[in-house]
Every structure is written in C-alpha cells, then in structure tokens.
Amino acid sequence: MSGLGTTSGPVLACGEVHTCLLPTSDAVDERAAEQLLRLRTDEPVRLSRHPSRYAVSPGLLTGVDCWMPSVTGTRSRAVGTVTARAAIVEGRVLQSSAYFSAPACGPDRRQSWGHYLVRPGCLIPVGRLPVRSVAEGFLAGPRQNELDIGPIAESLTARISRHRILDLSPPLTTADTSLRWTATPAAGGKETSVLFTKADDGLRTVELRLPHATTPAAAAGLCEDLALHDWLLTTVAYKLDGLQAGYEDSRLLKVLCSLVDHLLHLWMPLSRVDRTLHTAWEELDENSGYSRQWNALAQRIRDQLVLRAVRSRSELLTSD
Amino acid sequence: MLVLAASDKGGTGRSVTSANLAYQRSLDGDDVCFLDFDFGSPTAAAVFDLPDGVHRAEGCGLHSYLQGRTGEPLRIDVWSRTEHPALRDRPAGSGRLVLLPGDRTGGEFLTTEENRHRLVDLVLRLQREFSFLFVDLSAGRSYAVDLLLTATSPHAGLGRLENRWLVFHRWTRQHVMAAAELAYGSQGLVHAGTAMGHQPDVLSGSIRFVRAAVPDLESPLWSQVSPAQYVWMRQCDQALEELAAGRGIGKARVLASIPLEPVLQWQERLITDEDVYDRGIARNETWQAMKDLAQRLTIDTFWGQW
C-alpha cells in the first residue's frame, strides 16, 4: 500500500481503536491468544515475543458504500473496504482496530466491486473528497446515515469475547476506551504533530499530521500504541483514585495486587511503532507527561505494598 | 455477576428493591450497572430520581438497542445525574452506579436470535466494566424473562457468567402461590430453562426468593392492633409459612424478607442512611434488610442446591 501524500497514494487515513481488558481471570498464553485471533483460516495469526508478547489477527475486510462523515454537510460518497484487525497484548489486553485510507479523488461514477477490491483498506470517493470536512466530521462522530467504523471494531471485540475459552471473570473491572483518529500528511517541511483530546464515556480523538509516505498501517499501529497506553494510564489512575490509605487492608490489597499482577508490566511505549513516527509519541508524552504520571503511579503502588508489608510485620512482632 | 430480578406479578417491590440492592452494592465499592428490562413500564429512572431519564431514553434505550435501532443504548450515570439530594455527593470509596433505561414505548416483543445476540454482546461488554449487572425483568413469564433464560443457558453466550435469580413476591396467599408457580410451575423458570438447555438442579440452585413488604408483627407499626387482630394475623403468617414450605419456597430458599416500609408505600425510592438516621423517615430494619440482602448475593452458603 502506498503512503500518505505520495502521488498515487491516499491523502487521508482514519480509524478507530477499541481497547479493553480480555475478559478472563488470568492472562492467556500464546496458544490461546492464537486461537482467539484466528479470525480467518487462510492467513495465520502473527506473533511476536519481544519486547513483549503480542499477537495480531489477520486483517478482515468489510465492504462499504456510503456517505462519508462531514462537518459542513457536504455529501460525498465513497466505496471500498475497511480493514479491521484485533491484537492481544501480553495475553491480557484486547485491542480491535478498524481503519481505511482515501485518495483525494476517484472516478465520477461508481465502479464494479472488482475495482475496489484490488485496493484493500481503501475507500475511493465518487468524484472529489472534501478531505478537511471528512476528517473533522469523522472525529466529531458520524451522524445518521454516515459511515461509522466504530461498530466494525466493536464487532471484532464482541466476536472474540464470545469465545468459549474465556472464563468471563476478569480480576478487576475496567472501562473500555475508543480512540478515533485521522492522519493527514504534514505540510511541507513541517514535522509530525499530534493533537490528543479526551472526551466523556471513554472516547478519545487523535488528529495526526504524519511524514510523507507513512503507510496507513503504520499510522494505525501508532494509534493502537497510543490507545493501549492511554487505556493503561486511565485504568490505573481510576483504580487508585479515591482509594484511601485507611481502607481495610484486604480491600486495598486486592486492588493493588490486581494492578501489579495484571497491568503494571504492560507499559512499554513505542515497542511496535514505526521508527519515523516515534516523534508523535514523544511530543505527546512531553506535553501530557504520560510516562512521568505512569512512573509515579507505579511507584505509589509498590510503596503502598511495601508499607503494608512492613506494618503487618511490625504488628506480628508486637503481638508476640 | 448477573442478578436477574423477576416477579410473579406487578407491585411486588421488585424494581424498587433491586434498585436499592444496586445502590447498596455500589456504596460498598462495587461497580454496578442496572438494566431496566421492565418492557412497557420502565420505572428504574424514577426510583433513582432521574426525572429526564425516561424522556432521554426514547429511541435510544434498551428496547431500541435490542431491536437494532441504536448501536449503543443510553447510559445514565446515577451519581452525577440524580436529583435525589442525598445521592448527589458520591460517597468516598463507592463504586460506579450506571442505569441503562428502557424506552417507555418499547413494549414486549418476540425473542429472536438477533435480540439474543445483541443482548449477549451488550452483557459481555458491560461485565468487563461492572462487577454487578442487575437486570429488572417484566413481571411473569415475560419475553424479557425468556430472553435472559435462553441467553444464560450453558451453551448460549452468557452461560459461563455467574448468574443468580431473585424472585420477588409479597406475603399473601396469591403471591406465594404465584411465585412458586413462576419458579417451579409447569410454565415456570426451571421447566422452561430445562427445555432451553439449563441443568434443572443448577438452575433451581441459582433461584432464591425475596419476600417484600412483609408485616413484622413485633414491630411498633402493629403495636396498636387489638388482641384478636394480633392472633388472627399470627395465624395467617403461620399458614403462609406452611403454604410457602409446601410449595418449595420455604425459609431455606428465601434470601431475605424486606419488612413493610411506610416510605416505600408512599414513594418508590432509594432508602439512604440519611433517611434512617438524620430524617428518621425510614425504618432501620428496612435499611438493614436491604444491606443484608445485598451482601447475601455473593455469600455462597445462601446459594446452591440442597
């Protein structure tokens, strides 16, 4: 697939990533992850073991022929396929991602499906594509009768969650997040830029300007990484919020231990992001202090556990 | 855990009691979601004091979701939206409390494969987020009951989820007989469930009864009755106890008895500690019974087949 901004390539890529805890009491092993992600028989699940265990399903295509989202109300139609894939990180976190890319213009008439199927993951406009309006409309959320790729990602999450090998008793309750993103090529000479916004109900939006020739798959990879780390930070911060040191020990310990057992080791930004896109995360991290906050939270959890151990030991000694 | 609140008839205090249970569990720090499946007459929004809840749910509530008219059902965060004065300040250490209201105009509909898939996907999604899902089902062997009964059968999507049924009934002859019929009758939960693939002993081990609005003859409420009335009421109580035991819903299968509560006779609402201790309008016994019942949902010795 050609990259963003190249002569024959797309001018816009959009996607949505859903992130949730895999609904099982313990992390699944590599074999189980493979079994869960075997969404197609003709293509294997890709596994990687370093720097963390990661499994990703083959891509699934969904054919669409519909109105594109728009903020201005300009109606533009596009036809083609949306790519979707699911990934399991360290056997513990499930991510489903759906994305597409689109060129600036296409044939003035709708072609036969064969024309669109040779470009997987690409939505080809009928006529010109109002790029800005579509990108803004996509981030604002589709209106009725406009393309909504959220359900495509969600249906993968739902399909995997129904699998019989999952015991459906997660060790802690966590809220899912959806991250909606758009990527356009950065203007000449400008560097990568990223605008990250958090809304209610676990929705995040990311507006990216990426180097020329970045492939849509690489942009999706960056957003999956952002979504994973945002989800981790949100989940751990929420669990610690209002957790009073005066709580009875068993309850506090249960929360702290579940975080240590299941989430703390997952923080590993940029482990699977294309090298040219590292600046996007670095910029975001610099501005929002994600890593600093994560380190502080992780340290706090460990300190609490140590304090408790010291306290229970001294209680034991005094009771003797 | 999925807590399914069913009742033989209307007016058994099913909605108001299960809303109170949801409230109690969230006070204890559990993340709780309440799903209003009382198709046709959703009342949960009123119990949680969310005046615009019913109105907002039009076209995007649970019925619309199950029928595929909306991609995601409306969620209302009770702590932040309620108009109940005592609830607005969410207590420290409490968990989330979210209502998924039903649409008023939804009515009953046939249970189709499609509805069931949508229900399964929704519950699987919610159970990642919440440790308790309370489902308030329409009275009788309704479509809502059938939908949940099929979805929770061992080979359907929710079979692996821990689920517990509460059958609410009032403490009268008619209600006791109807509750027994709803659970064990020829058209009842266990029979219907078995036909849908449930193991009869497992299913019946997950059904418990809640007696609602039970007059406690020793309470001050009844201190003014004449000796003759007292004796008569005692006999009735005794006879009901025998009737219940004979129908298989005797004390061993009762999870709790909620005493007759004047506040609930006047208004379907959440009973808060403020109502009991500061304002003195609700009785401590009711508050305690709700608390105990909420705790017993997760105490395994109260459940299972005997």
Side-chain angles (χ1 to χ4, degrees), chain A residues 30-47:
Chain A
E30 199 174 84
R31 226 164 42 99
E34 197 179 350
Q35 206 178 333
L36 288 169
L37 295 176
R38 209 176 294 140
L39 305 177
R40 269 169 66 171
T41 45
D42 56 340
E43 257 191 77
V45 174
R46 285 186 294 127
L47 300 166

Side-chain angles (χ1 to χ4, degrees), chain B residues 3-19:
Chain B
V3 180
L4 305 149
S7 66
D8 50 307
K9 295 162 178 268
T12 54
R14 181 198 68 242
S15 301
V16 72
T17 312
S18 43

Side-chain angles (χ1 to χ4, degrees), chain A:
Chain A
M1 197 186 299
S2 48
L4 279 175
T6 52
T7 32
S8 62
V11 290
L12 173 72
C14 301
E16 189 161 325
V17 188
H18 288 196
T19 308
C20 69
L21 191 74
L22 196 66
T24 158
S25 51
D26 228 326
V28 295
D29 59 17
E30 199 174 84
R31 226 164 42 99
E34 197 179 350
Q35 206 178 333
L36 288 169
L37 295 176
R38 209 176 294 140
L39 305 177
R40 269 169 66 171
T41 45
D42 56 340
E43 257 191 77
V45 174
R46 285 186 294 127
L47 300 166
S48 115
R49 298 195 177 105
H50 306 288
S52 56
R53 287 189 304 131
Y54 181 84
V56 61
S57 76
L60 292 185
L61 296 177
T62 306
V64 295
D65 175 353
C66 54
W67 301 112
M68 295 297 270
S70 125
V71 274
T72 55
T74 327
R75 288 218 140 180
S76 62
R77 181 181 171 191
V79 189
T81 50
V82 174
T83 304
R85 63 184 181 201
I88 295 176
V89 184
E90 280 289 350
R92 191 65 273 190
V93 179
L94 172 64
Q95 289 195 291
S96 307
S97 168
Y99 63 93
F100 65 87
S101 59
C105 57
D108 283 334
R109 284 167 185 273
R110 191 197 187 282
Q111 309 292 304
S112 66
W113 270 111
H115 175 80
Y116 301 105
L117 289 178
V118 292
R119 296 167 186 81
C122 194
L123 289 191
I124 298 170
V126 177
R128 286 197 73 78
L129 184 78
V131 179
R132 248 186 103 84
S133 168
V134 168
E136 285 172 20
F138 183 84
L139 290 181
R143 289 181 286 193
Q144 215 168 13
N145 300 328
E146 289 177 345
L147 172 67
D148 183 3
I149 64 170
I152 299 179
E154 187 53 47
S155 70
L156 276 190
T157 304
R159 179 169 164 190
I160 293 165
S161 302
R162 284 196 295 259
H163 208 289
R164 303 207 74 82
I165 62 173
L166 299 173
D167 62 18
L168 301 183
S169 50
L172 66 166
T173 52
T174 56
D176 302 0
T177 59
S178 324
L179 181 142
R180 218 177 267 156
W181 60 271
T182 59
T184 46
K190 285 240 180 149
E191 279 301 305
T192 310
S193 81
V194 48
L195 185 66
F196 190 99
T197 325
K198 277 191 185 195
D200 283 346
D201 302 336
L203 177 71
R204 283 93 176 86
T205 58
V206 179
E207 202 181 329
L208 294 165
R209 292 196 194 288
L210 298 178
H212 273 252
T214 304
T215 61
L222 168 68
C223 293
E224 285 158 17
D225 198 56
L226 291 181
L228 172 68
H229 292 91
D230 168 69
W231 179 86
L232 279 172
L233 192 56
T234 310
T235 305
V236 173
Y238 175 73
K239 286 285 161 193
L240 292 183
D241 185 30
L243 198 66
Q244 293 153 346
Y247 264 12
E248 48 189 304
D249 269 11
S250 61
R251 195 160 147 199
L252 190 82
L253 270 181
K254 192 172 169 245
V255 176
L256 295 179
C257 291
S258 62
L259 294 178
V260 172
D261 285 342
H262 300 280
L263 301 183
L264 282 199
H265 58 291
L266 301 183
W267 188 267
M268 214 176 279
L270 299 178
S271 42
R272 278 175 196 85
V273 175
D274 194 295
R275 194 163 285 282
T276 55
L277 302 179
H278 283 200
T279 45
W281 165 264
E282 282 152 11
E283 184 193 327
L284 188 67
D285 198 27
E286 179 104 331
N287 294 336
S288 320
Y290 276 12
S291 296
R292 274 173 285 149
Q293 189 182 359
W294 176 265
N295 291 336
L297 290 174
Q299 195 55 50
R300 187 173 148 209
I301 293 169
R302 293 187 182 114
D303 286 348
Q304 288 254 16
L305 286 173
V306 171
L307 264 180
R308 241 136 257 276
V310 171
R311 219 178 282 160
S312 63
R313 197 182 138 84
S314 66
E315 273 164 19
L316 270 182
L317 287 176
T318 43
S319 67
D320 285 347

